[in-house]
Amino acid sequence: QALTPPGQQVALYPITDPAQLPLRPVTDSNGDRLRLPFQISTGRIWLRAWQATVGRTTLYLLDTNDPDNPADIRCITTQLYGGDAELRLRQELVLGIGGWRLLRMLGLRPDVCHLNEGHAAFAALERARGLMEDLGIPFMQALTIARAGTVFTTHTAVPAGFDRFTPLMITSHLSFYAASELHIDIADVLALGRGNAPAQDAEAPFNMAYLALRVSGAVNGVSRLHGQVSRALFNPLFPRWPQVQVPVGHVTNGVHMPTWDSAAADALWTTATGKDRWRGTHDTVERDVRTLSSHDLWRCRCLSRAALIDFITASHRAHACFHGERRAQCLPPPGFDPGILTIGFARRFATYKRPNLLLHDPDRLARLLCSADRPVQLVVAGKAHPQDMAGQALIAQWIAFIQRPDMHGRVTFMVDHDMSIARQLVEGVDLWVNTPLRPWEACGTSGMKVLVNGGLNISERDGWWAEACAPDVGWAIGDDTATTTGPERDAQDAESLYATLENAVLPLFYQRDAAGIPQQWVAMMRESMARLTPRFSASRTVRDYTQGYYLPAATAYRARLADNGAKAAAIGQWQQKLDAGWPALRLGRMQATQAGDVWRVTVELHPGPLAPDMVAVQLYADQPDGAPAIFPMAAGPAGTEGQITCSVEIPATRPISDYTPRVIPCHPDAAIPLEAAHITWLERG
């Protein structure tokens, strides 16, 4: 990122030479450079691979810059952003199919494949192809095995965030792969990535998130609120299922705390909790941090803030210059003071993140920053997507504000925001600001990174902050029940932000005792560090994935893989019978009588050609909050016309009109409704 004098972002792409990076080529058993052939309809692609060792983890990177590839293919992995939809599709084919093929060539056979967003979903097709080759089984049986060991994490909060491609583009690139390697028709591939549009809708787009969901045995969002949002996004794939039962859970993101703590913070944490604090279960971390004295906490905060100011001053020339046509034009050094409240905002500049919310009333912000007795200094950073003109315009607004004469020494923009700048910011700021439009922030992890350093958060109740926010650890912007949108919502949230800064944040920071320590501010620091840091650490996140997703997925995968995929074959046969017989299934008359404090409920099931054990009859009622009330109904003997009377007794705490009988698929080894989304409700009236 560079900026022109008016503040227009310029996207630059420095050449990346793998020889100058801590990488080494992946080689075969003879020591020769490993090259992976990958055939698509438009021709053969040769892939190369590089290996990096990160701690105890091996990272493989794919590269299409092979001399035998034509120029347009060699450029596939040149840069992430830029190009058109065809380049994006080719990148995702390389990532998914090429990535899994590399693992097979290296002899790696993981039980669990974790798809991070839908970009890598083609890996499931290649995984199934490998199982076809190993076991001599057809594609759908192989995919049923692979699905059990695949976990899909979605990071998107709006439908526009999903990658979608035209059927023609998918057909032109994958017809050869489908026919020659998967031995299926391209229409079967297209069906995996489409919604529930009629089969004759030849123009329905291919959605990578839909593909990822359909090839996975478990799906999750990245915060509790994002799980709710994702259930709404994917509800169309599960017609007539209640949104609350759409099979998307959540694991809230966390950050690797040792990467983001300052030297002063690391020393403080080591004194209180020991060096191995992030390697265990965090059982004693909260208790230990609460033993830290206000003096030590405040000293750590002051040292970290001073280090940030030194960094800003030292790096100003390199990071605050605009590139004009004839010469570089640099802003004057910010002249920050290490003794005053320092606020940070560093995000990707996108409109839904509202990085200009602080600028809603520029004069009010200027008065807040320039207060004589409670001054504030503000550090801003971030990049916009190279094709996001609206996001780039928001950067220009900040540059115009910074160039106001009264803003010297009060606000600066750190150009070319990267991980090194981010580390300095999260280590040094006292307060982190985050202003997304709820509920569009799937999780947001920037604010988690200040926790370990004693920084506090003021944020919209979105993503992770919807779970973390409490009066004794930080501040919330706006109202999480707000229904307004557009400029009115922005005005309300801006007023909330300004008022909270003026009436709560600043008084708390500048209210000092005789030793110059803001005791109430430090108390919030201590509580935030103790309660939130372990809760939003990467070690907690990895533990949640391991216990809730990876271990169950590995167990299910091995069970389906056993006996040459016998269970997968049985599931496939069950699905075929279910698809064929479900239209004839129906529910008949329901009867309910009250006996004391219970309802006795019966309903007739007419299963048609389906065996009774292929389905489950339930009595269902929505709950105002949380999971619905579901009561299994026991099946009696079949009647003279094949009907089955199902019955249950339930507490008579609610009117019987709240409950509706329904039928759903039932199989001991299948994930319902991921692998069978049929559902029939009793029609009333």
Side-chain angles (χ1 to χ4, degrees):
Q1 179 192 54
L3 298 177
T4 66
Q8 178 64 44
Q9 174 178 281
V10 178
L12 305 174
Y13 297 94
I15 294 174
T16 299
D17 181 2
Q20 304 302 316
L21 298 173
L23 306 172
R24 63 178 182 271
V26 176
T27 56
D28 60 21
S29 57
N30 297 321
D32 297 325
R33 180 83 188 241
L34 185 68
R35 300 169 74 234
L36 292 80
F38 172 28
Q39 183 79 27
I40 61 175
S41 301
T42 55
R44 172 170 288 191
I45 296 176
W46 287 98
L47 303 181
R48 305 187 304 181
W50 302 83
Q51 179 176 331
T53 301
V54 185
R56 293 176 294 173
T57 301
T58 300
L59 172 67
Y60 294 103
L61 305 172
L62 293 172
D63 176 14
T64 58
N65 189 26
D66 187 278
D68 284 345
N69 286 331
D72 61 327
I73 299 300
R74 295 183 71 168
C75 292
I76 289 176
T77 54
T78 298
Q79 63 190 52
L80 178 60
Y81 300 120
D84 54 15
E86 183 175 34
L87 175 61
R88 184 69 168 177
L89 174 59
R90 288 178 171 184
Q91 289 178 338
E92 296 185 357
L93 290 169
V94 167
L95 173 64
I97 297 176
W100 197 264
R101 187 163 295 189
L102 172 65
L103 297 184
R104 280 183 61 82
M105 290 190 71
L106 295 174
L108 299 174
R109 299 289 191 273
D111 290 340
V112 179
C113 173
H114 190 162
L115 302 175
N116 192 38
E117 196 51 90
H119 311 311
F122 289 125
L125 304 185
E126 179 64 14
R127 189 180 192 187
R129 188 202 65 79
L131 290 168
M132 293 169 64
E133 183 180 286
D134 293 343
L135 304 179
I137 58 177
F139 172 76
M140 288 309 301
Q141 183 180 354
L143 185 61
T144 301
I145 299 172
R147 180 186 293 119
T150 303
V151 176
F152 167 41
T153 296
T154 174
H155 294 258
T156 303
V158 291
F162 297 144
D163 282 342
R164 284 172 285 194
F165 303 104
T166 66
L168 179 60
M169 192 173 294
I170 295 294
T171 300
S172 67
H173 282 76
L174 281 168
S175 290
F176 177 88
Y177 181 75
S180 300
E181 305 208 43
L182 303 182
H183 306 298
I184 59 175
D185 192 87
I186 189 62
D188 297 320
V189 175
L190 287 168
L192 289 171
R194 283 175 161 167
N196 292 300
Q200 63 269 25
D201 185 0
E203 298 306 314
F206 186 89
N207 187 312
M208 291 297 293
Y210 289 178
L211 172 64
L213 183 142
R214 287 198 173 109
V215 299
S216 298
V219 184
N220 71 280
V222 290
S223 71
R224 183 173 59 208
L225 178 59
H226 182 236
Q228 298 171 13
V229 171
S230 297
R231 286 189 284 276
L233 290 180
F234 289 113
N235 210 163
L237 297 185
F238 303 91
R240 307 199 72 194
W241 278 82
Q243 184 173 302
V244 70
Q245 287 195 288
V246 172
V248 181
H250 81 274
V251 174
T252 302
N253 284 341
V255 299
H256 185 248
M257 294 300 174
T259 294
W260 301 104
D261 61 355
S262 67
D266 181 67
L268 195 68
W269 279 86
T270 300
T271 298
T273 63
K275 269 291 186 186
D276 294 332
R277 55 190 174 274
W278 305 119
R279 297 182 180 178
T281 57
H282 309 159
D283 290 341
T284 65
V285 167
E286 186 170 341
R287 179 199 68 198
D288 294 340
V289 172
R290 289 202 171 99
T291 65
L292 290 169
S293 70
S294 296
H295 173 272
D296 289 344
L297 283 166
W298 185 241
R299 180 175 181 274
C300 173
R301 180 91 299 280
C302 291
L303 289 172
S304 297
R305 186 190 317 112
L308 171 61
I309 304 308
D310 289 344
F311 172 79
I312 292 173
T313 302
S315 63
H316 176 75
R317 280 286 177 188
H319 293 285
C321 294
F322 307 146
H323 294 271
E325 292 183 359
R326 298 182 178 178
R327 62 184 179 86
Q329 176 182 333
C330 297
L331 291 174
F336 277 8
D337 183 341
I340 68 176
L341 176 66
T342 304
I343 298 178
F345 180 97
R347 309 288 289 145
R348 180 165 60 89
F349 269 63
T351 52
Y352 81 88
K353 293 180 182 289
R354 300 190 297 181
N356 61 339
L357 192 68
L358 271 167
L359 288 175
H360 191 268
D361 184 341
D363 292 334
R364 186 172 180 181
L365 176 60
R367 290 193 299 272
L368 186 151
L369 295 172
C370 296
S371 170
D373 55 343
R374 300 184 306 192
V376 179
Q377 54 201 12
L378 175 63
V379 188
V380 182
K383 301 174 183 177
H385 188 289
Q387 298 175 359
D388 183 1
M389 296 299 105
Q392 294 180 38
L394 300 178
I395 294 176
Q397 289 181 26
W398 272 110
I399 299 305
F401 179 75
I402 291 170
Q403 292 177 346
R404 286 175 44 157
D406 57 339
M407 286 300 97
H408 178 61
R410 287 293 175 262
V411 58
T412 190
F413 190 98
M414 300 295 289
V415 180
D416 204 25
H417 182 230
D418 60 10
M419 191 168 173
S420 63
I421 292 176
R423 285 190 62 176
Q424 297 290 335
L425 288 178
V426 300
E427 290 176 9
V429 298
D430 301 296
L431 182 69
W432 193 260
V433 180
N434 194 22
T435 52
L437 182 64
R438 178 186 165 101
W440 287 14
E441 182 86 286
C443 181
T445 57
S446 63
M448 297 178 188
K449 297 165 188 172
V450 305
L451 299 174
V452 71
N453 297 296
L456 299 178
N457 280 271
I458 179 170
S459 174
E460 186 82 19
R461 286 189 183 92
D462 199 6
W464 78 283
W465 194 240
E467 302 169 38
C469 183
D472 55 346
V473 295
W475 297 272
I477 299 169
D479 181 358
D480 59 358
T481 64
T483 58
T484 56
T485 58
E488 184 181 357
R489 173 75 173 273
D490 292 345
Q492 292 171 351
D493 287 352
E495 172 59 32
S496 172
L497 176 56
Y498 292 140
T500 303
L501 289 170
E502 293 164 347
N503 302 324
V505 174
L506 271 64
L508 203 67
F509 185 85
Y510 284 106
Q511 183 179 344
R512 308 293 174 89
D513 63 9
I517 299 174
Q519 289 290 347
Q520 289 182 287
W521 183 278
V522 172
M524 289 186 72
M525 286 174 51
R526 182 186 293 109
E527 190 62 21
S528 172
M529 293 171 74
R531 199 160 82 218
L532 301 186
T533 308
R535 185 176 162 193
F536 295 99
S537 68
S539 47
R540 187 273 310 157
T541 301
V542 172
R543 186 164 57 249
D544 286 353
Y545 273 115
T546 301
Q547 296 173 348
Y549 288 84
Y550 297 159
L551 293 178
T555 299
Y557 172 76
R558 291 176 184 177
R560 292 190 184 185
L561 185 63
D563 299 324
N564 216 58
K567 281 192 174 181
I571 291 172
Q573 294 167 4
W574 169 79
Q575 289 172 321
Q576 290 176 1
K577 292 178 182 177
L578 207 63
D579 293 342
W582 197 271
L585 177 149
R586 65 182 180 88
L587 287 172
R589 182 182 54 177
M590 169 184 166
Q591 290 184 320
T593 58
Q594 188 170 359
D597 59 355
V598 300
W599 287 109
R600 291 175 178 167
V601 185
T602 62
V603 67
E604 287 184 356
L605 169 67
H606 298 266
L610 298 178
D613 63 355
M614 294 178 66
V615 300
V617 182
Q618 302 171 332
L619 199 60
Y620 176 97
D622 284 318
Q623 298 273 44
D625 297 301
I630 301 174
F631 297 93
M633 301 188 75
T640 55
E641 298 181 2
Q643 80 276 11
I644 298 170
T645 299
C646 302
S647 61
V648 69
E649 291 188 354
I650 62 173
T653 53
R654 299 174 63 174
I656 196 62
S657 58
D658 285 359
Y659 294 90
T660 304
R662 70 180 191 178
V663 189
I664 65 171
C666 179
H667 192 288
D669 299 314
I672 309 297
L674 263 179
E675 295 185 294
H678 301 287
I679 190 168
T680 294
W681 299 82
L682 176 66
E683 301 292 340
R684 298 197 178 192

